[in-house]
Amino acid sequence: MTQRQDHAVDTVIAEPVTSGPADQSRMSATALSAGAGGNLLEWYDFGVYGLLAPVLAADFFPADDRIASLIGAYGLFAAGFAMRPIGGMVLGHLGDRLGRRFVLVYSIVLMGLATAAIAFVPTYETIGVGAPLLLLLLRVVQGFSVGGEFTGSVSYLVETAPRHRRGLAGSFANFGSTAGMLLAAAVAAATVTLASAEQLHSWAWRIPFLLGGIIAAGGYFLRRRLRESGYQPQAARTDDPLPLKQALTQAPRAMVYAVLFTSGYGIVNYVTMVFLPVYASEFGSVTESLALQINTVAQAVALLVVPLAGWFTDRFVRRRTLLIAAFVAEGGVALGCFALANAGGAAGYALAQIAFGFLLALVMGAAPAMLVELFPSEYRMSGYSVSFNTGIGIAGGTAPVVATSLIGATGDLLAPAWFLMFGAALAAGAAFVMKDRSRDPLR
């Protein structure tokens, strides 16, 4: 980026928030609840699908090859993520042109309908290849809606927060996503534990997706009460450049660094919190139900740490510093933790899963506000949504299937650990070169 472009970007100032003066000392409870609640649904669904992947693999794909069926199930998991950049592009544009509130309401309705519909999809035994195709269609709709949900809620939370609480406010989006993953782990564990094998494959797996539809209804009514954030979109003229074009031309380095960072972040996230419990049950000595129960404990630990990490970056340490430290630690313990999950029994897997959950929670607390702070208000959602969803969608969404494929291709049960180390190194390197504006006015 040229010095002239840098100066142009840095001098853009966000308009005052509608919920109070810029130096307000309190955050809106309604905004925090709505931001967290929507992400609870989004990540509850993605978590349930990932954690129940072995069940879905058997019901929606031919079951004669365990690894091939698992790859198929994770392939549909990745397909939902592949739509996230497109959803981010469309919904990010609408967020910049029509306001953040519109995107928050629209995305939760779309996600809720698709989630509930999954519960009614027939299995492979009933309609053959039509079963995975229907599931694919619904995963695509879900991925599109997620493309604007998370970045829209983070933008809204940070824009409505006082300067000295932006880290804490942004962390509430991931507090919601962590709560969603925690609820997903708890519901998946209860489903697998309480239902017999026959009941699980017949009808019990459908209950978690029906619950997602109920959660969406509650989130919709909560978000209808929201006021618009501090950013007031202006009516676009025919000669106005698209917000995404502004982001690409005025902040190209920020876009590239954000994509690299979220790519590494996505790999770390989904290898440690979605793939690892399946790895422990499929390739280790831990039962599926126990693996999910331990994953639930790790999610509970992360739930407590996420807002503390966001608050910590507001008061004591810059966001970039905490992010680099967390990712370096993730890479440092990768091999040891995967060895424990593979051969350490229940105790070894529990230690590995909780350690990964704690380290990831540090990232989830610090990253949202830092990424929002990279972009000025008039193209914030477009820049943030496209870069975040490109990284998370491509690298994060494919991480479980890549990790499984590495085992199949190499025969090395520790191959996913090397993949995790690569992701951690990529994220740490990108964080090092990103600008940290955690103490600056929101542009």
Side-chain angles (χ1 to χ4, degrees):
M1 190 190 303
T2 65
Q3 290 182 346
R4 183 177 180 181
Q5 287 172 325
D6 269 326
H7 178 72
V9 172
D10 289 339
T11 54
V12 178
I13 304 298
E15 298 184 24
V17 296
T18 59
S19 56
D23 62 348
Q24 62 187 14
S25 60
R26 294 185 179 182
M27 296 179 290
S28 166
T30 300
L32 293 178
S33 299
N39 284 290
L40 186 149
L41 167 68
E42 307 285 0
W43 297 95
Y44 166 82
D45 172 72
F46 272 81
V48 161
Y49 185 95
L51 294 169
L52 292 179
V55 179
L56 298 175
D59 283 0
F60 285 88
F61 297 91
D64 53 345
D65 187 326
R66 184 184 66 170
I67 291 182
S69 295
L70 195 58
I71 289 174
Y74 277 136
L76 292 188
F77 183 80
F81 276 85
M83 279 299 295
R84 288 182 59 164
I86 298 175
M89 186 181 304
V90 175
L91 297 178
H93 174 83
L94 294 176
D96 285 328
R97 287 290 196 237
L98 302 179
R100 320 306 191 207
R101 179 182 176 276
F102 172 84
V103 171
L104 293 181
V105 174
Y106 177 84
S107 64
I108 200 169
V109 170
L110 196 61
M111 185 70 172
L113 292 174
T115 300
I118 287 179
F120 299 97
V121 177
T123 63
Y124 184 88
E125 185 179 359
T126 304
I127 61 171
V129 71
L133 290 178
L134 284 174
L135 191 58
L136 171 63
L137 175 62
L138 294 173
R139 294 295 298 169
V140 165
V141 173
Q142 290 175 323
F144 180 88
S145 69
V146 173
E149 163 61 38
F150 183 81
T151 52
S153 63
V154 173
S155 297
Y156 185 91
L157 289 167
V158 172
E159 288 173 349
T160 55
R163 184 193 305 185
H164 65 286
R165 293 192 178 180
R166 294 202 304 253
L168 176 61
S171 75
F172 265 79
N174 267 331
F175 180 85
S177 66
T178 305
M181 290 292 289
L182 174 61
L183 182 60
V187 171
T191 303
V192 171
T193 302
L194 298 178
S196 67
E198 182 179 353
Q199 291 171 335
L200 182 64
H201 289 277
S202 176
W203 54 267
W205 67 266
R206 302 178 186 273
I207 295 176
F209 293 99
L210 285 173
L211 178 60
I214 297 173
I215 296 172
Y220 167 73
F221 286 109
L222 185 63
R223 286 189 168 179
R224 286 185 62 188
R225 300 172 54 197
L226 290 177
R227 292 179 291 175
E228 189 52 79
S229 75
Y231 170 60
Q232 298 296 323
Q234 303 297 319
R237 302 188 305 269
T238 56
D239 60 342
D240 280 350
L242 295 176
L244 179 58
K245 182 178 180 180
Q246 290 180 278
L248 292 171
T249 57
Q250 298 183 36
R253 290 184 182 178
M255 291 286 290
V256 171
Y257 296 157
V259 169
L260 294 176
F261 173 80
T262 54
S263 295
Y265 175 12
I267 292 171
V268 170
N269 189 347
Y270 286 94
V271 168
T272 60
M273 302 307 290
V274 173
F275 175 74
L276 190 67
V278 177
Y279 173 88
S281 62
E282 292 288 323
F283 304 105
S285 58
V286 181
T287 65
E288 184 177 338
S289 60
L290 181 58
L292 292 177
Q293 291 166 12
I294 292 172
N295 184 266
T296 302
V297 174
Q299 296 286 354
V301 171
L303 186 69
L304 298 175
V305 174
V306 165
L308 292 176
W311 170 80
F312 194 73
T313 63
D314 283 330
R315 296 182 62 88
F316 301 109
V317 65
R318 285 187 173 270
R319 310 195 213 291
R320 178 171 60 186
T321 302
L322 183 61
L323 290 171
I324 293 172
F327 281 119
V328 168
E330 288 268 9
V333 302
L335 281 172
C337 285
F338 265 88
L340 286 173
N342 173 246
Y349 164 63
L351 179 61
Q353 186 69 89
I354 293 172
F356 278 145
F358 173 81
L359 291 173
L360 184 65
L362 298 178
V363 176
M364 297 174 75
M370 182 165 178
L371 290 169
V372 165
E373 291 162 349
L374 288 177
F375 303 103
S377 59
E378 70 267 28
Y379 58 79
R380 176 171 293 131
M381 267 204 69
S382 293
Y384 180 24
S385 296
V386 171
S387 58
F388 180 83
N389 288 297
T390 298
I392 293 288
I394 295 175
T398 59
V401 71
V402 169
T404 306
S405 300
L406 286 173
I407 295 175
T410 66
D412 181 6
L413 293 179
L414 293 181
W418 293 101
F419 181 47
L420 174 60
M421 293 170 67
F422 164 75
L426 179 63
F432 180 77
V433 295
M434 284 196 301
K435 287 187 177 181
D436 187 323
R437 295 189 170 98
S438 55
R439 304 296 185 265
D440 300 339
L442 191 63
R443 299 178 297 158

